[in-house]
Amino acid sequence: MKIEPLGARVLVLPMEGESQTPGGVLLPETAKEKPQQGTIEAVGSSEEMTTDLKVGDRVLFPKYTGTEIKLDGKTYLLMDESDVLARFND
């Protein structure tokens, strides 16, 4: 199944949070920080988008943004284009 965002929205695959502290302590799932970085997997209507975000861009977003969607064993975030704070330039 494929998700196509509508309007000025993007579908982001968040990066996994750290599972271990720098000191070596393993963190349970409930103690992990919410991810703030991810990769864009799909973009909405090019006519409604005000930026040039594209599939494959690595982006930064606020901790508690977007709508969580689980699909094929992965968790995605569907968010407004305006929720993306920055794009990484590698």
Side-chain angles (χ1 to χ4, degrees):
M1 182 181 290
K2 185 176 176 183
I3 297 177
E4 181 182 339
L6 299 177
R9 292 185 180 82
V10 294
L11 183 70
V12 176
L13 179 61
M15 293 183 172
E16 293 294 319
E18 293 294 321
S19 60
Q20 194 171 2
T21 66
V25 177
L26 293 175
L27 297 172
E29 194 66 35
T30 55
K32 289 182 185 178
E33 284 282 323
K34 289 190 75 65
Q36 291 180 268
Q37 295 180 33
T39 305
I40 293 182
E41 298 289 313
V43 294
S45 169
S46 60
E47 292 85 34
E48 294 186 40
M49 301 284 281
T50 58
T51 61
D52 62 344
L53 293 172
K54 59 189 175 304
V55 173
D57 284 347
R58 204 174 86 197
V59 294
L60 183 67
F61 51 87
K63 275 187 187 181
Y64 302 101
T65 192
T67 301
E68 202 171 270
I69 299 169
K70 295 187 183 210
L71 181 66
D72 298 331
K74 294 182 181 178
T75 302
Y76 297 92
L77 289 174
L78 183 62
M79 63 181 75
D80 288 332
E81 169 194 27
S82 61
D83 289 335
V84 175
L85 302 174
R87 174 180 38 215
F88 290 94
N89 291 321
D90 295 325

